[in-house]
Amino acid sequence: NAGVTQTPKFQVLKTGQSMTLQCAQDMNHNSMYWYRQDPGMGLRLIYYSASEGTTDKGEVPNGYNVSRLNKREFSLRLESAAPSQTSVYFCASSPGPSYEQYFGPGTRLTVT
Amino acid sequence: QQPVQSPQAVILREGEDAVINCSSSKALYSVHWYRQKHGEAPIFLMILLKGGEQKGHDKISASFNEKKQQSSLYLTASQLSYSGTYFCGTEWSVIKAAGNKLTFGGGTRVLVKP
């Protein structure tokens, strides 16, 4: 039982490059989330998926797209990376409303 | 709107107590508490729900004042392992179709010294 896994763990991009962050959970959770955390700051919600087949914007969706591929997997895509997207990205999953969220180990992304 | 946490930082000696507060300007349905150690992912501690239900660890205590839209997390007889940054996450309504969309506070850094 791996919980929530994320790939890659580290990534360096140049401005304008694109990439996809992968997230998978093996807990049969309905809801999945993508957050970003800037140094010394709290977590900000980028996108979430309340259930398979649905996605919705969070607080800071600009510059990102998501795909809920199936119940297990939720990917985050940066189409044209910018230095302002340098951050640590966490994926999380939850059984549903008012249940705890389980976080993956994070991806450290640097955009130069 | 982001909930406001106070204090921003606290330094304790082992065995001392501390209280971390989380305030919201909007009516809350639930408050979630997480702890994050440096370089690691946040770990769930506690959920407090409107109406008084709590889910979480036995050794962590917290309160939820629905009228004041505030929650407090109590660190009692602190241990070195309590060091980290504590975040509250607030949930304004429970709509099953919307998952539990949390808005997190800016965090409270806790350092417990021997």
Side-chain angles (χ1 to χ4, degrees), chain A residues 54-65:
Chain A
T54 68
T55 61
D56 211 339
K57 295 177 182 179
E59 299 170 63
V60 288
N62 291 345
Y64 305 95
N65 283 301

Side-chain angles (χ1 to χ4, degrees), chain B residues 2-102:
Chain B
Q2 187 182 34
V4 177
Q5 288 187 234
S6 63
Q8 288 188 313
V10 59
I11 299 175
L12 299 167
R13 292 283 177 191
E14 253 185 311
E16 291 182 340
D17 302 338
V19 180
I20 300 171
N21 299 303
C22 176
S23 299
S24 172
S25 58
K26 289 181 72 168
L28 299 176
Y29 179 82
S30 72
V31 180
H32 300 222
W33 287 96
Y34 291 80
R35 179 172 62 211
Q36 184 179 32
K37 294 191 180 277
H38 184 69
E40 298 181 6
I43 300 294
F44 167 76
L45 296 175
M46 170 82 66
I47 293 176
L48 301 106
L49 300 170
K50 190 174 178 179
E53 186 182 352
Q54 295 186 16
K55 306 177 195 177
H57 295 283
D58 293 335
K59 295 187 177 179
I60 300 285
S61 64
S63 64
F64 180 18
N65 186 324
E66 296 170 31
K67 286 184 180 176
K68 291 187 177 180
Q69 287 129 229
Q70 285 179 353
S71 177
S72 296
L73 185 73
Y74 303 99
L75 304 181
T76 305
S78 58
Q79 304 170 20
L80 295 176
S81 61
Y82 288 9
S83 292
T85 302
Y86 290 75
F87 293 99
C88 68
T90 52
E91 186 178 26
W92 297 326
S93 64
V94 176
I95 302 171
K96 215 167 187 181
N100 58 331
K101 196 168 81 168
L102 297 179

Side-chain angles (χ1 to χ4, degrees), chain A residues 18-95:
Chain A
S18 62
M19 78 161 295
T20 300
L21 308 183
Q22 306 286 355
C23 173
Q25 53 92 7
D26 62 1
M27 296 175 281
N28 200 34
H29 286 171
N30 290 315
S31 304
M32 297 185 74
Y33 311 83
W34 277 106
Y35 294 92
R36 61 176 287 174
Q37 185 175 36
D38 299 327
M41 306 285 285
L43 296 149
R44 290 187 291 170
L45 183 65
I46 305 171
Y47 270 93
Y48 66 102
S49 171
S51 59
E52 187 180 354
T54 68
T55 61
D56 211 339
K57 295 177 182 179
E59 299 170 63
V60 288
N62 291 345
Y64 305 95
N65 283 301
V66 290
S67 296
R68 183 77 182 263
L69 305 169
N70 47 55
K71 193 170 186 180
R72 289 188 63 246
E73 298 171 290
F74 189 38
S75 63
L76 178 72
R77 182 160 178 84
L78 286 72
E79 290 291 352
S80 178
S84 60
Q85 293 178 306
T86 293
S87 191
V88 179
Y89 291 83
F90 288 103
C91 176
S93 71
S94 170

